[in-house]
Amino acid sequence: MVGPSRPQIVLFGSSIVQMSFGHGGWGAILSEVYARKADIILRGYYGWNSTRALEVVDKVFPKDAAVQPSLVVVYFGGNDSMAPHPSGLGPHVPLTEYVDNMKKMALHLQSLSDSTRLIFLSCPPVDEAKVRQNQSPYLSEVIRTNELCKTYSDACVELCQELGLEVVDLFSTLQKADDWKSVCFTDGIHLSAQGSKLVAGEILRVIKEAEWKPSLHWKSMPTEFSEDSPYDLVSADGKQTVNSSEWTYFWEEQWD
């Protein structure tokens, strides 16, 4: 543990979470936005479904932890929504079981503390043609369809509305982009830099608009070690120093 202590924002999910610091990912964007304000903690597990996540949620988020997260962003659903394999093996989870799993996860996370907030991300669409094109010779056929993705996305959104949770509808969000199949994915499933920008933008919008106290919007949070110092860069007139603790000019995109 390093100090000073900061609020924790935990990203919990499957490959779209595990890979969120690569390819200009949305996790990396959040880390940049929350630099010196909160720690972005990655708990991503490639290939996982909601059933497997539910088995370990109390280990990833123990109720007796000395510090509980301020925000947990949860994504499961893409693997759950895959068509079932004839053997009964594989990541597919029936829709009703998926909803039940996500509800149990939400209730566990809500029980961590009165100030732990949640944002769920629903199942995104896929580029079906590219998924078929990229089929691995080492794996059984992966069947992902947008019909199934939408069904699981809608179920996640409906559950969040029922529980009063914040949710980002990824199925709709990614399709807002022009030529979304070409620009939002690296392989038809996982997010490109452009896809991640859309996801990050929606997460930041939800945080800004949420009526949480205290607010977790990055502009509302204190910046660590932000006091003026004689060791800061010197101004052009040479008479004073310039505090750089709030500078964001180096961001690729100026986030609100």
Side-chain angles (χ1 to χ4, degrees), residues 133-150:
Q133 176 185 332
N134 291 337
Q135 181 64 44
S136 169
Y138 303 104
L139 298 173
S140 293
E141 183 181 8
V142 174
I143 300 177
R144 292 180 183 259
T145 70
N146 282 319
E147 181 179 2
L148 287 170
C149 290
K150 186 177 189 307

Side-chain angles (χ1 to χ4, degrees), residues 35-225:
R36 299 175 67 166
K37 296 174 180 290
D39 287 331
I40 309 297
I41 299 174
L42 189 65
R43 291 294 182 269
Y45 304 92
Y46 195 109
W48 279 33
N49 60 20
S50 62
T51 300
R52 195 168 183 185
L54 185 61
E55 290 175 351
V56 302
V57 69
D58 58 338
K59 296 181 177 65
V60 179
F61 301 97
K63 290 187 178 183
D64 60 354
V67 177
Q68 296 293 359
S70 296
L71 172 64
V72 184
V73 180
V74 181
Y75 167 71
F76 292 99
N79 296 315
D80 301 67
S81 70
M82 289 172 57
H85 192 272
S87 67
L89 300 172
H92 169 74
V93 175
L95 184 63
T96 54
E97 183 180 342
Y98 165 72
V99 172
D100 188 53
N101 289 342
M102 298 300 282
K103 183 174 184 178
K104 288 176 180 175
M105 261 189 276
L107 295 176
H108 175 82
L109 294 169
Q110 285 180 315
S111 75
L112 297 178
S113 78
D114 291 339
S115 58
T116 297
R117 311 303 183 188
L118 305 181
I119 299 175
F120 276 28
L121 310 180
S122 77
C123 183
V126 296
D127 181 344
E128 296 180 22
K130 188 171 285 188
V131 172
R132 290 192 296 269
Q133 176 185 332
N134 291 337
Q135 181 64 44
S136 169
Y138 303 104
L139 298 173
S140 293
E141 183 181 8
V142 174
I143 300 177
R144 292 180 183 259
T145 70
N146 282 319
E147 181 179 2
L148 287 170
C149 290
K150 186 177 189 307
T151 299
Y152 280 70
S153 176
D154 289 347
C156 180
V157 171
E158 184 177 338
L159 172 67
C160 290
Q161 292 170 344
E162 173 192 324
L163 298 178
L165 301 179
E166 300 293 344
V167 61
V168 174
D169 181 351
L170 290 188
F171 191 84
S172 299
T173 294
L174 294 184
Q175 293 185 70
K176 293 176 182 177
D178 293 336
D179 197 18
W180 62 270
K181 291 182 181 180
S182 298
V183 303
C184 286
F185 306 108
T186 59
D187 57 4
I189 298 172
H190 301 106
L191 298 174
S192 65
Q194 182 59 38
S196 275
K197 283 182 180 179
L198 292 170
V199 174
E202 282 299 292
I203 292 172
L204 292 170
R205 178 191 62 77
V206 168
I207 293 172
K208 182 180 180 180
E209 295 177 0
E211 297 179 355
W212 293 333
K213 294 183 180 179
S215 173
L216 297 177
H217 183 231
W218 66 275
K219 289 183 180 179
S220 301
M221 302 176 75
T223 299
E224 192 172 276
F225 299 136

